[in-house]
Amino acid sequence: MVEKIERNRPGNSTGKYLDTDMCIDPDNEIRRYVKEGMQDVNLPEARKRILQQEVFTETAGCRDGIARRVLRRVHDFMETTFEISLAPVVTALGVLVVGAATLSYGYLVVPSETNIRNPVGYIQQTSVNPNGSTHIIFLPVDRRG
Amino acid sequence: MLNETELILRLLDGEESASRELVLYFGDRLLRAAYGITGDLQAAEEVVQDTFLKTCRRLSSFKGDSSLETWMFRIMINTARNRMRSSWIRRVTTIDQGQASWVPAPEGYNPEHELLQRERRQEVIRCLRELPLKYREVMVLYYLEDLSVEKISQVLGHPSGTVKSQLSRGRDRMKQLLEIREVY
């Protein structure tokens, strides 16, 4: 009796192919054929030893790479941390500097600028009356002459 | 069963035994697969060497999205493809030359067995070489390396449906070839 179970269905879940027309399972036959043909194909021992050494050497370079990467990550982390913590501090410092500059502006300007800014000065004139009382008057003068 | 994560960590820690394990675990498997694809043992050895070197150089960028096995086989396939694309390999690689560089078993040397095995290997390689490359890759990974369809689709970067269809067509062709050779 010939029974076809499943034939050439690429869409099945396992990719298996069973063909009982010939009472064989091509899957197993092909697997056995390929595996037996290749069974003594191996890397020579000398080649393996060389490869091991090369793998070890190459991964050493990779380890350096990792060290660099870790350092970069730490650096990035520190940068991020400072950015977060320093932002308000920098803002506050900026405000302080601007405020101090504004406040001190009047004291730090040069005399000529003071004259221009505030040209009117006052002269204090104090006099003592015969009855002993003191009379003080402020006389406005133009500082620019 | 190989613990891949542990092996990678040991490699990165500089353990010499880890590099030995990596070569012992994957060396022969990669060689057989590369040989099945290229059809030339010498070229396959070079492909394997390049695969190991590329793997190690890129180890720090390995994200673990796929298994180490899948990753290494993907590198091997790409390396083999590049090699086969080059005019040099097309010019110098013939099946006979491939057979000239086969590796004799060092222990229990038996000339008759060697001859038989050599003929078998030649037959398998000839059979695989008659398949188009896309079928050959799938057949080698599925039948020789016993990778699942899912893994093969990851290695080749094809959808599972494509892999299944290539597998089916490759199998049909292989079956015809084996029938012609009266293998079964």
Side-chain angles (χ1 to χ4, degrees):
Chain A
M1 180 184 166
V2 174
E3 184 189 358
K4 207 174 282 186
I5 299 171
E6 191 173 7
R7 187 180 175 88
N8 198 13
R9 273 183 55 199
N12 65 9
S13 60
T14 58
K16 298 285 179 193
Y17 175 97
L18 298 173
D19 188 347
T20 52
D21 285 351
M22 301 166 68
C23 298
I24 54 154
D25 178 356
D27 243 8
N28 287 338
E29 282 302 308
I30 293 171
R31 182 167 279 115
R32 187 181 57 80
Y33 176 74
V34 173
K35 277 184 185 290
E36 282 184 4
M38 298 283 209
Q39 68 184 4
D40 69 341
V41 176
N42 297 313
L43 272 178
E45 284 305 314
R47 188 76 155 182
K48 278 183 186 167
R49 277 194 294 276
I50 293 168
L51 264 179
Q52 285 165 21
Q53 197 52 49
E54 285 178 344
V55 165
F56 184 71
T57 313
E58 285 298 326
T59 45
C62 195
R63 284 191 289 279
D64 289 346
I66 283 174
R68 277 198 298 274
R69 218 159 48 122
V70 168
L71 281 175
R72 195 169 63 244
R73 278 190 182 176
V74 169
H75 177 71
D76 291 349
F77 173 75
M78 293 299 279
E79 267 197 344
T80 311
T81 309
F82 280 126
E83 199 176 302
I84 291 165
S85 61
L86 284 181
V89 175
V90 168
T91 310
L93 276 173
V95 169
L96 276 174
V97 167
V98 170
T102 309
L103 286 171
S104 63
Y105 179 70
Y107 300 100
L108 297 176
V109 288
V110 294
S112 61
E113 284 175 335
T114 310
N115 291 340
I116 293 164
R117 196 163 54 87
N118 189 12
V120 180
Y122 294 90
I123 296 171
Q124 183 186 337
Q125 190 179 52
T126 308
S127 57
V128 180
N129 294 327
N131 60 0
S133 62
T134 307
H135 185 71
I136 302 169
I137 53 171
F138 292 92
L139 300 170
V141 290
D142 192 336
R143 289 165 128 178
R144 291 169 295 187
Chain B
M1 184 70 185
L2 182 76
N3 186 335
E4 294 183 344
T5 313
E6 189 195 314
L7 182 68
I8 292 170
L9 289 174
R10 284 171 53 218
L11 275 170
L12 294 174
D13 283 344
E15 272 191 39
E16 209 157 353
S17 62
S19 50
R20 188 164 56 246
E21 271 178 52
L22 186 78
V23 172
L24 287 179
Y25 191 78
F26 287 109
D28 292 340
R29 292 182 63 196
L30 287 170
L31 179 75
R32 281 192 282 266
Y35 181 38
I37 291 166
T38 60
D40 176 18
L41 198 51
Q42 197 178 344
E45 279 189 19
E46 286 166 14
V47 166
V48 170
Q49 184 176 14
D50 285 354
T51 303
F52 273 107
L53 295 183
K54 284 177 186 171
T55 301
C56 294
R57 281 173 200 154
R58 298 173 192 173
L59 202 58
S60 59
S61 62
F62 178 64
K63 294 171 187 165
D65 298 337
S66 57
S67 67
L68 181 64
E69 179 189 49
T70 308
W71 194 51
M72 288 188 75
F73 272 97
R74 192 186 308 152
I75 293 174
M76 183 276 291
I77 289 276
N78 289 332
T79 310
R81 279 179 189 168
N82 287 340
R83 221 186 146 74
M84 293 177 76
R85 262 197 290 268
S86 75
S87 58
W88 180 83
I89 192 76
R90 280 202 299 272
R91 195 171 64 248
V92 302
T93 302
T94 64
I95 290 167
D96 290 339
Q97 278 179 320
Q99 297 314 307
S101 58
W102 64 286
V103 182
E107 290 174 14
Y109 180 72
N110 180 342
E112 280 182 26
H113 171 79
E114 288 295 336
L115 189 65
L116 187 69
Q117 191 58 39
R118 191 172 171 173
E119 282 173 3
R120 268 186 183 172
R121 189 168 47 241
Q122 199 167 356
E123 187 74 22
V124 170
I125 288 297
R126 200 167 280 147
C127 207
L128 285 170
R129 287 294 295 260
E130 286 185 36
L131 297 174
L133 181 61
K134 58 182 178 181
Y135 299 156
R136 202 187 315 156
E137 289 173 350
V138 172
M139 296 293 282
V140 163
L141 294 175
Y142 187 78
Y143 288 110
L144 189 60
E145 288 308 316
D146 294 324
L147 294 191
S148 65
V149 171
E150 287 307 313
K151 277 200 171 178
I152 296 172
S153 78
Q154 286 177 12
V155 168
L156 300 176
H158 298 157
S160 302
T162 309
V163 172
K164 284 175 189 168
S165 119
Q166 287 176 342
L167 194 56
S168 175
R169 288 180 189 139
R171 188 161 37 217
D172 280 352
R173 291 222 190 166
M174 189 84 165
K175 194 180 152 201
Q176 289 167 2
L177 292 169
L178 295 181
E179 281 170 357
I180 292 166
R181 287 172 166 77
E182 297 178 343
V183 174
Y184 64 70

